[in-house]
Structure formats: structure tokens, C-alpha cells
Amino acid sequence: MIPYPRLRPLRIPSAFRGVRGRLTLWYVAMLAVVLVLSGGAVYTIEGQSLTAALDARLHTRAQQLAATYDARHDQLLAAPDAATRNGDEIVLLLTLQGRIVQRQAAGTLTAKAPWSLVSRDLRVTALNGGQVVEEVLMVALPSTETKGGGIQTTVKPGLFRFTGVPLREGSRVVALLVVGLSSDVPRQLAALARALELTIPIALLVCAAGGYWLADRALRPVRRIARTAREIGATDLSRRLGLRPGDELGDLAATIDGMLDRLQAAFRRQRQFTDDAGHELRTPLAIIDLEATRILDRPRTLEEYQRAIAAMRQEATHLARLVDGLLILARADSGQPALAWEEIDLAEIALDVVERLTPLARRSGMNLILAPLDELPLRGDRVYVTQMVMNLVENGLKHGAGVGTRVCIEGGCRREKDTDGIWLRVVDDGPGIAPEHLPHLAERFYRADRARTHNAGARQDDQAGGLPATGSGLGLAIVHWIARVHGGRLLIESEMGHGATFEVWLPRHGDVPGPG
């Protein structure tokens, strides 16, 4: 059994496997179709134009000769011209029966035989007054003697076009004039076809090279984007494409650069958040461990045990509040949380918060003042809005403790940008905040007073004053996020020595929440 040779699969050259090659092939294929169709159209139109010009010349020549017809002598008075002598023109004067009575052609034609080049259809149509054109292919033959003594001489070989014109005497047709001209249309069309056969392949080759170069130049930014994307890692997002905008690829590169900016900022915030969260969580755990180690290293008195347990409880409380804040912000980072939207009264929430924090304010030596508030209805999440008001009031108490004497809470209705809204303002008379700290107060773990660290002594001092554990830098970040998620905003104003003002504005209808 003869084994058949295995056929190898057709391999496409590597130059045409990419987008550049495919674009070039499609471009050349479409251009080839266009050029072939255009060439065919040019060939057809040129043939029709040349034929029409020849027919117009033929009819004009026939009318000129017909004007020289002498009916009395039954002949044409026009003498043969140069075209006739050169064999490019044939002129025949026929009777109605088809007998030749006069001829003008290269050589001598016999008068005894009918002119076989003229078909019956041409004679009949012409005699009836219709315009008709007939093509005849002339073949070169040697001159021969005829039986009548006449000499039949073959005219110039080639394609001739004939037409007939009836000749009249008064209103009566008495003869038929047949004129034939040598047609140069096939030769000209053949030259045009050769020109098209030569120029179309050359044009395709030139356009293929130019198309490949243009595709390579157009896709060069894509290769740069791919190369830069391969060089970008999770730990290094500083690389940028840096393409000049102005076209689609430039706009795409600018969009990718903007995305990388956002990703880099997000990674930076995530790393900072992780570092700060680890530090904040590590501090209370370390304090609890130190207190437990200290109290267990030897027997203690009842008072010492009580102080150690109180300190550990204080750190546990701070740790629980910190974890709660981290969970809220983690839900914010994970996307838009599912809020329990309902109709609430901000004045009622503010009153409830004041009642809960008034004992704490008294133990801290602060006065918590709630201005008279009318009903402040809005649509929002009661739990988050309560957390927001609680954080604002606690921040005012901690900020003004030891220096200020009061924290005032005000509220009302205000329309902003064609939107009805509710505002709530917490004002303290504390030491104020330096201008350089104001833009960063809503950032996570940011504290304007860096000297106020979370150590056991500070915790005990705060506890003795009645304040909760010192802030971890999450309170205002949570307030800012809750305001944003409800479609509102947080505004902070302060001057050194004149206290601080924290104002939240929320739209009355929170059906279009802001970004988290």
C-alpha cells in the first residue's frame, strides 16, 4: 500500500499574522476590488465614448457625401479623399435593388457583383429612414480578376463600421448611400487594457507597502501601550504611557494614564490605611498586654487590680470603637453599601444624640447646647445619620476639652444648586485648627495634634475627664463618607484661637446618593 504524502498545513508568514498584516491584506484586497471595478468601468466607458465618436464622424461623413448626390446623373460629385485612398474609407452608391452604381475605395471594385459587405438588414433599415450601424471585419486578400473583367481589390484589413443614408429626389427614395470607416477602437482599447494591466499591479504593490508602513506607524502607540503595561506591576504603578492626546489612541492612552493615577492613589491610600490601621490596632493591644503583664508579675493590692482592669477596659472600648469605624470604612471601600432609606427627622436625631452625650459633656466640663430646631425631614439611613451626628458632637467635645467651654448644635433648611437640603452645624470654642490641617481632617487616621498619642496616661486622663478614648482619626472620615453617600458634603471652618465649625449639608431627598 503506497503511503500518501502528508499535507502540511498552510503557514501564514509571521509578517501577516498581526494586526498590521491583516489590515494591509484587507486594505490591498479592497483596493484591488476598487481598482478592478474602476478599471472595468473606465474600459467600458472609454469603449463607448470612442465608438460614439466614430459613429458621429461616420454619420457626419455620410451626410456630407449625401449632400453631393446628383440625381440627374445618379452619382456622387465628391471626389475620393485621402481616407478613401488610404483604405480607411469605403463609399458605395447602391440602387434600391442593391446594385453598385458608384464606389470609392482603395482599388477597383467590380460592378457586376453586389457588394457583399452590405447586409440586407442595413439596406432595408436605411431605406426606411432608420439610423443603423454595422461592423464588418475586413480580411486582407490578394487582388483577383473577375469574370466580368473587373478587378476586386481588398481594402485595408481591420474592423469597419458601415451606415446607410437614403438618397431622395423630391420625396421619393431613389438610391442608397453606404459609407464605411475603419475603426481604431479595438486598438485603442487594447492599449488601454495593457496600461491597466500594468498600472493596477504596480499601484497595489505601492499601496501595500504604504499601507503596511501606515499600519505600523498607526499601531506603534499600541505596542508602546502593551510594553508599558507589561512593565507595570502591583508594586510599581508610577509608569505612564505619556502619549500626546488628539486622536483615538492618544485619548485611550490618556484614559489609561488617568486610570493608573487613580489606581496608584488607591494603592497608596490602601497601604497608608493598612499601616495606620495596624498601628492603631497594635497600640491598644500592646497596652492591654503590658497592663496584664505588669499586674501578673507579682501580687497586687485591690486598688492596683482595679486600675489595671479599668485601663484594659478603656483600651478594649477604644479597640471596639476603632474596629467599628474600620468596618464602616471597609464597607464604604467595597462599593455602594445597601442603605436602609427611610423618612427621618434630623432634628429628632440631633436631640437624641445630645441627650446621650450630655452626661459625658458635663463630666468633661463642657456645655452641650442645642439650638431650637424645627422639624428637619429628609430621606436617609437612620443608623448612618445618627453615627454621623454622634461623631460630629464627640469631635467637638474632644477638640474643645480643656480649652473651650461649650459645643453648640444648630440646624435648618437651605437650598443649594436648585436642591432643597438640610444643614447641621456643630460649633465649639476650642483652640481652633491650623489652616494647613483643614484640607486633611477628613482623611483616615489624620490627627492635627500629633502629640496627642494613644498611651495609657492619656487614656487615663481622658477617662478621668469623662471623655471617651482619644480619637483614632476615623471619626471625621466616617462623617465625610456618610455625607457623600447621602449626596451631601462636609464643610470645616476654623481659626486659631476661635474654635472650629463643622457643617454637614444633606439633600432633603436622598434618592441620588453620592459616591462612597
Side-chain angles (χ1 to χ4, degrees):
M1 186 174 181
I2 301 175
Y4 290 97
R6 296 182 63 183
L7 298 178
R8 296 183 177 179
L10 181 62
R11 294 186 176 181
I12 302 176
S14 58
F16 296 98
R17 293 177 186 172
V19 177
R20 289 174 297 172
R22 290 196 294 269
L23 285 176
T24 304
L25 288 178
W26 276 106
Y27 171 71
V28 172
M30 295 300 297
L31 183 62
V33 172
V34 172
L35 289 179
V36 169
L37 294 178
S38 300
V42 169
Y43 184 87
T44 302
I45 295 174
E46 183 66 15
Q48 294 174 351
S49 176
L50 292 175
T51 302
L54 178 62
D55 290 345
R57 187 160 58 91
L58 179 63
H59 287 294
T60 301
R61 179 61 176 164
Q63 294 297 330
Q64 291 175 352
L65 292 174
T68 65
Y69 175 66
D70 184 1
R72 180 182 302 177
H73 299 90
D74 194 20
Q75 65 178 357
L76 300 173
L77 300 180
D81 60 2
T84 306
R85 290 191 297 270
N86 293 333
D88 293 328
E89 181 180 84
I90 299 174
V91 179
L92 300 176
L93 181 62
L94 305 179
T95 64
L96 297 180
Q97 293 75 26
R99 184 174 59 85
I100 300 175
V101 296
Q102 186 178 357
R103 58 272 181 195
Q104 294 180 2
T108 304
L109 301 178
T110 178
K112 295 182 179 180
W115 186 252
S116 60
L117 299 179
V118 180
S119 67
R120 178 178 177 82
D121 293 337
L122 185 146
R123 295 199 303 270
V124 172
T125 304
L127 289 175
N128 290 331
Q131 287 191 352
V132 61
V133 176
E134 189 174 87
E135 286 188 339
V136 177
L137 181 62
M138 308 295 288
V139 180
L141 295 175
S143 299
T144 58
E145 292 288 340
T146 64
K147 292 182 179 181
I151 299 176
Q152 179 179 341
T153 303
T154 304
V155 298
K156 184 177 181 179
L159 188 66
F160 275 74
R161 292 180 70 84
F162 289 90
T163 188
V165 177
L167 301 178
R168 302 177 184 272
E169 183 179 4
S171 61
R172 184 171 60 91
V173 177
V174 297
L176 176 66
L177 174 63
V178 176
V179 180
L181 292 179
S182 175
S183 175
D184 198 30
V185 174
R187 185 183 62 81
Q188 297 185 49
L189 291 180
L192 176 61
R194 289 192 298 270
L196 292 175
E197 292 173 357
L198 179 63
T199 55
I200 288 179
I202 294 177
L204 289 177
L205 290 176
V206 173
C207 291
Y212 190 85
W213 179 80
L214 287 176
D216 179 78
R217 183 178 180 85
L219 294 176
R220 194 174 300 166
V222 177
R223 295 196 300 272
R224 180 175 177 180
I225 292 174
R227 183 175 61 253
T228 305
R230 285 191 297 267
E231 295 173 355
I232 294 175
T235 58
D236 181 17
L237 296 175
S238 60
R239 297 294 303 274
R240 295 294 181 270
L241 301 176
L243 296 182
R244 183 175 58 186
D247 56 6
E248 290 80 1
L249 291 178
D251 295 340
L252 174 62
T255 302
I256 294 177
D257 285 342
M259 179 188 68
L260 291 175
D261 290 337
R262 294 190 297 272
L263 286 176
Q264 186 178 16
F267 273 100
R268 186 185 302 112
R269 289 194 302 269
Q270 184 184 33
R271 286 195 297 267
Q272 183 66 34
F273 179 77
T274 303
D275 295 341
D276 292 340
H279 174 74
E280 294 294 334
L281 292 173
R282 185 168 56 248
T283 300
L285 292 175
I287 294 175
I288 293 175
D289 181 69
L290 287 176
E291 287 293 327
T293 302
R294 183 179 63 84
I295 202 65
L296 293 175
D297 62 351
R298 62 182 178 85
R300 301 286 181 175
T301 63
L302 180 60
E303 292 77 9
E304 290 176 329
Y305 282 119
Q306 290 177 344
R307 282 197 301 269
I309 293 174
M312 288 187 288
R313 180 183 179 185
Q314 179 72 15
E315 294 302 327
T317 302
H318 171 71
L319 187 60
R321 292 169 57 88
L322 180 61
V323 171
D324 290 340
L326 291 175
L327 289 176
I328 292 176
L329 295 177
R331 285 194 294 269
D333 291 337
S334 64
Q336 192 68 37
L339 301 182
W341 296 97
E342 59 178 319
E343 297 296 331
I344 59 177
D345 184 4
L346 188 59
E348 178 185 345
I349 292 177
L351 179 60
D352 180 63
V353 170
V354 169
E355 290 176 354
R356 293 168 59 183
L357 295 182
T358 295
L360 179 62
R362 289 174 181 174
R363 289 195 300 269
S364 304
M366 302 282 290
N367 292 323
L368 194 55
I369 303 172
L370 177 63
L373 298 178
D374 295 331
E375 186 178 359
L376 302 177
L378 60 88
R379 188 167 182 266
D381 187 290
R382 180 178 296 273
V383 175
Y384 282 118
V385 173
T386 303
Q387 180 73 41
M388 178 187 69
V389 178
M390 182 80 70
N391 287 1
L392 283 176
V393 177
E394 287 184 350
N395 181 78
L397 292 174
K398 287 184 290 187
H399 182 72
V403 178
T405 59
R406 67 182 183 276
V407 173
C408 299
I409 304 172
E410 304 169 348
C413 300
R414 184 172 68 239
R415 186 177 181 84
E416 291 188 2
K417 298 180 180 179
D418 299 329
T419 303
D420 293 330
I422 305 296
W423 58 271
L424 184 74
R425 186 180 302 133
V426 178
V427 183
D428 64 71
D429 59 349
I433 305 172
E436 63 269 17
H437 297 303
L438 292 178
H440 307 286
L441 289 180
E443 296 178 4
R444 301 174 185 183
F445 298 108
Y446 186 86
R447 289 185 297 275
D449 187 4
R450 292 294 180 178
R452 196 175 182 187
T453 57
H454 302 299
N455 52 54
R459 298 281 168 74
Q460 292 171 359
D461 293 339
D462 292 336
Q463 187 182 15
L467 286 173
T470 53
S472 61
L474 295 179
L476 291 180
I478 294 174
V479 171
H480 174 72
W481 172 75
I482 294 175
R484 291 287 300 277
V485 83
H486 282 79
R489 53 143 180 85
L490 170 65
L491 177 64
I492 304 175
E493 297 179 352
S494 178
E495 292 183 11
M496 292 300 297
H498 295 83
T501 300
F502 297 84
E503 180 183 286
V504 173
W505 182 88
L506 301 177
R508 187 183 295 274
H509 302 288
D511 49 355
V512 185

